[in-house]
């Protein structure tokens, strides 16, 4: 960008027409105009829309063949928009400073009395500006593929919150690399390499993510950890408290990278590039303390995870559970609701109870993961007095075609560390799930085709408007001459 805006700010300071605008705001406006009116952002957003269109059509075809539920379609679309959207911020951040060096425009900007931190802040906000637009562009895809499922609204909110955190982290990392790189090629190459390193583990087969080590590595990767949280939250109906450890990597990386950018790198921005050494003892002491704290947290994490143990089971033989539904036939993607009544037929008060729902496939096939089928697998009851009953409601979403048995089990709190007992199960519900026959792969085509064409049209109009303004300015200059 040119230093014209910063020069204008100095003129405002010297005048008496009113308070001058902050330097970071002037830098933001100029950089924002260069990115959007110059067409670079539109090119990246057109590529983004093309990738989203291709993946959405492929997901819709796969949904018809494999009966992917709407919640998982929202998850796949949201993860795709996050992956592609982060790349836009990373590329713009990588070009923000080193690109100025290569275009020989950074020296003029640094010669102004503007604060280096304010220059970096303005460029950072401008590089981050495409992310909200990318999120808005992904909403029509999610709306079509969700088929009206309630996870659509949840996906938009989760995507906006987590996507903003990740976008800020990746944009800041791109700017860090740009500040410390001596050429634009090096900055872009390093950023793309880091992006690929973070992205590759998300493409591993599902079996590679299992086990304690697999889950631990998954949580260390900001992209993979965020993807795992979204999947568990939207598809498996897990709560934020249960899956909060998946967000640690994204949160910590965002705080650390933003801190490095604005507290360390921005004040040391120079014309030549390169990472300034940590020479002072105070800086070394702070870095050593930060490293020790991080190592302690990493060592403590496995201990915390190992300390989480499942409760033992214990039950009273006088407890009974009944179900108000015996059988049901639904289409894949449909939902059944039923109620259970737990009764204490004994002469004594029961201990606190847990009620768990289970789903079993009748015949050969892959085991059923109940977390994918129900938003609430377990419910708790404090205790039941003699003769007392409690009614509870349950819901099951039919994911795959087949025949299943759904049943409930009462599991009480144990009376002591050496006590155990026999659980009591309810009668089974025979659930028959038919293939979903109303899926229309063409339903996503209007969005998949219209979105890139609309962005191309807006980009062409923007370029034509820019040329018209240039021609008008040129005519005005000739007239004045």
């Amino acid at each position: 960008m040119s230093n014209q805006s910063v020069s204008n700010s100095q003129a405002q300071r010297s005048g008496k027409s009113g308070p001058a605008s902050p330097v970071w705001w002037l830098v933001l406006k100029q950089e924002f105009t260069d990115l959007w009116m110059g067409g670079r952002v539109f090119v990246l957003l057109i590529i983004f829309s093309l990738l989203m269109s291709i993946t959405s059509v492929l997901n819709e075809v796969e949904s018809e063949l494999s009966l992917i539920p709407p919640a998982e379609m929202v998850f796949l679309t949201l993860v795709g928009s996050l992956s592609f959207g982060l790349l836009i911020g990373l590329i713009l951040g990588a070009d923000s400073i080193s690109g100025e060096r290569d275009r020989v425009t950074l020296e003029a900007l640094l010669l102004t009395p503007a604060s280096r931190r304010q220059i970096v802040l303005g460029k950072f906000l401008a590089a981050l500006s495409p992310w909200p637009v990318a999120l808005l562009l992904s909403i029509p895809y999610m709306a079509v593929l969700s088929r009206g499922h309630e996870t659509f609204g949840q996906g938009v909110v989760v995507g906006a919150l987590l996507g903003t955190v990740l976008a800020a982290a990746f944009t800041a990392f791109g700017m860090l690399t740009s500040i410390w790189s001596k050429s634009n090629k090096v900055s872009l190459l390093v950023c793309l390499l880091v992006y690929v390193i973070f992205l590759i583990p998300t493409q591993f087969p599902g079996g590679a993510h299992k086990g304690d080590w697999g889950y631990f590595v998954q949580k260390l990767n900001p992209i993979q950890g965020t993807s795992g949280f979204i999947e568990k939250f939207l598809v498996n109906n897990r709560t934020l408290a249960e899956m909060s450890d998946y967000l640690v990597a994204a949160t910590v990386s965002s705080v650390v990278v933003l801190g490095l950018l604005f507290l360390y790198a921005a004040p040391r921005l120079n014309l030549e590039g390169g990472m300034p050494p940590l020479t002072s003892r105070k800086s070394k002491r702070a870095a050593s303390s930060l490293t020790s704290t991080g190592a302690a947290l990493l060592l403590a994490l496995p201990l915390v995870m190992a300390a989480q143990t499942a409760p033992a089971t214990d039950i009273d033989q006088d407890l009974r559970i009944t179900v108000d539904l015996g059988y049901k036939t639904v289409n894949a993607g449909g939902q059944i609701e039923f109620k259970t009544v737990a009764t204490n037929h004994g002469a004594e008060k029961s201990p606190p109870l847990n009620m768990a729902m289970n789903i079993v496939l009748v015949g050969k096939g892959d085991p059923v993961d109940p977390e994918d089928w129900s938003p609430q697998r377990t419910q708790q009851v404090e205790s039941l007095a003699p003769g007392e009953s409690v009614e509870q409601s349950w819901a099951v979403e039919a994911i795959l075609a087949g025949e299943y048995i759904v049943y409930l089990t009462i599991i009480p709190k144990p009376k002591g560390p050496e006590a155990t007992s026999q659980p009591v199960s309810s009668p089974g519900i025979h659930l028959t799930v038919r293939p979903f026959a109303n899926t229309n792969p063409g339903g996503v085509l209007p969005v998949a085709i219209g979105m890139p064409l609309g962005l191309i049209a807006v980009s062409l109009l923007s370029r034509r408007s820019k040329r018209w303004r240039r021609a008008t300015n040129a005519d005005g200059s000739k007239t004045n001459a």
Side-chain angles (χ1 to χ4, degrees):
M1 65 173 272
S2 66
N3 63 338
Q4 185 65 35
S5 297
V6 181
S7 300
N8 292 339
S9 70
Q10 285 191 269
Q12 291 178 6
R13 286 190 184 122
S14 60
K16 298 181 180 180
S17 57
S21 300
V23 175
W24 67 266
W25 175 250
L26 298 172
V27 174
L28 170 61
K29 288 197 299 184
Q30 183 64 38
E31 194 75 11
F32 187 88
T33 302
D34 291 345
L35 289 176
W36 288 88
M37 301 305 294
R40 280 189 291 169
V41 171
F42 281 110
V43 172
L44 293 174
L45 289 177
I46 289 171
I47 297 174
F48 171 85
S49 65
L50 289 173
L51 292 174
M52 288 295 297
S53 297
I54 293 172
T55 55
S56 297
V57 172
L58 293 177
N59 287 338
E60 183 69 12
V61 173
E62 179 66 17
S63 175
E64 183 183 21
L65 297 176
S66 304
L67 299 173
I68 301 176
E72 190 165 349
M73 294 292 286
V74 173
F75 157 70
L76 293 174
T77 308
L78 181 57
V79 170
S81 67
L82 286 176
S83 301
F84 304 145
L86 296 180
L87 183 59
I88 296 177
L90 189 64
I91 292 175
L92 295 178
D95 178 72
S96 60
I97 302 297
S98 57
E100 297 269 11
R101 289 195 184 99
D102 288 359
R103 293 187 289 269
V104 198
T105 55
L106 182 61
E107 182 177 5
L109 185 62
L110 295 180
L111 287 176
T112 64
S115 166
R116 295 237 190 325
R117 186 176 284 122
Q118 292 206 40
I119 293 174
V120 171
L121 176 59
K123 285 181 168 290
F124 169 77
L125 294 177
L128 190 62
S129 63
W131 160 244
V133 179
L135 179 64
L136 290 176
L137 293 177
S138 66
I139 290 178
Y141 296 97
M142 285 192 289
V144 172
L145 296 176
S146 67
R147 306 189 193 102
H149 197 269
E150 60 182 4
T151 53
F152 166 67
Q154 298 174 354
V156 173
V157 174
V158 171
L161 296 176
L162 299 184
T164 301
V165 173
L166 282 179
F170 275 77
T171 303
F173 177 80
M175 291 197 65
L176 272 177
T177 308
S178 186
I179 291 174
W180 293 337
S181 298
K182 296 182 180 297
S183 70
N184 203 28
K185 292 181 179 179
V186 173
S187 177
L188 290 171
L189 181 62
V190 171
C191 288
L192 290 177
L193 180 61
V194 171
Y195 176 78
V196 170
I197 291 175
F198 279 129
L199 191 64
I200 285 178
T202 64
Q203 308 303 315
F204 286 162
H209 298 160
K210 305 301 181 182
D212 293 339
W213 175 248
Y215 287 124
F216 180 73
V217 173
Q218 182 178 356
K219 295 172 185 178
L220 289 181
N221 184 340
I223 296 180
Q224 195 176 14
T226 303
S227 173
F229 172 84
I230 295 175
E231 180 182 16
K232 300 295 184 183
F233 183 76
L234 294 181
V235 180
N236 298 335
N237 302 292
R238 305 290 289 274
T239 64
L240 175 62
E242 292 177 301
M243 308 306 300
S244 58
D245 50 347
Y246 278 80
L247 302 179
V248 173
T251 305
V252 171
S253 62
S254 181
V255 172
V256 171
V257 176
L258 288 171
L260 280 175
L261 176 63
F262 290 108
L263 299 180
Y264 178 72
R268 295 168 176 82
L269 174 63
N270 58 70
L271 185 61
E272 293 78 15
M275 181 177 179
L278 289 169
T279 55
S280 66
R281 293 183 179 180
K282 189 176 294 184
S283 299
K284 290 182 179 180
R285 191 179 300 113
S288 176
S289 175
L290 180 62
T291 303
S292 302
T293 303
L297 291 174
L298 290 177
L299 291 175
L301 181 60
L303 299 177
V304 174
M305 295 173 63
Q308 298 176 352
T309 57
T313 60
D314 199 1
I315 198 163
D316 192 326
Q317 291 293 326
D318 292 322
L319 293 171
R320 298 290 185 272
I321 180 171
T322 59
V323 186
D324 67 348
L325 183 65
Y327 53 87
K328 187 77 173 180
T329 299
V330 296
N331 292 327
Q335 180 175 292
I336 67 168
E337 297 180 355
F338 59 93
K339 295 181 179 180
T340 60
V341 176
T343 306
N344 182 9
H345 292 280
E348 297 181 358
K349 185 177 181 180
S350 71
L353 307 174
N354 285 335
M355 298 180 63
M357 181 175 61
N358 297 280
I359 305 173
V360 178
L361 175 66
V362 178
K364 295 182 179 180
D366 295 332
V368 178
D369 186 356
E371 292 180 352
D372 296 338
W373 288 64
S374 177
Q376 190 174 27
R377 282 193 57 214
T378 61
Q379 298 188 42
Q380 288 75 39
V381 177
E382 288 299 326
S383 62
L384 294 176
E388 185 181 4
S389 299
V390 61
E391 181 181 90
Q392 293 172 304
S393 299
W394 305 83
V396 174
E397 297 179 359
I399 301 299
L400 297 176
E403 293 189 57
Y404 304 89
I405 294 295
V406 181
Y407 66 96
L408 283 296
T409 303
I410 296 180
I411 305 172
K413 182 178 180 180
K415 298 178 181 178
E418 298 180 356
T420 186
S421 63
Q422 180 68 37
V424 172
S425 298
S426 71
I429 302 173
H430 183 197
L431 177 60
T432 302
V433 182
R434 297 179 300 196
F436 184 77
N438 294 324
T439 301
N440 178 17
V444 74
L445 290 180
V447 176
I449 296 175
M451 194 67 70
L453 292 179
L455 286 173
I456 292 174
V458 173
S459 178
L460 293 176
L461 290 175
S462 175
R463 287 177 177 271
R464 178 172 296 183
S465 175
K466 186 177 181 181
R467 291 174 182 173
W468 179 80
R469 287 198 305 272
R470 287 180 177 176
T472 303
N473 293 335
D475 293 341
S477 300
K478 291 180 181 179
T479 302
N480 294 333

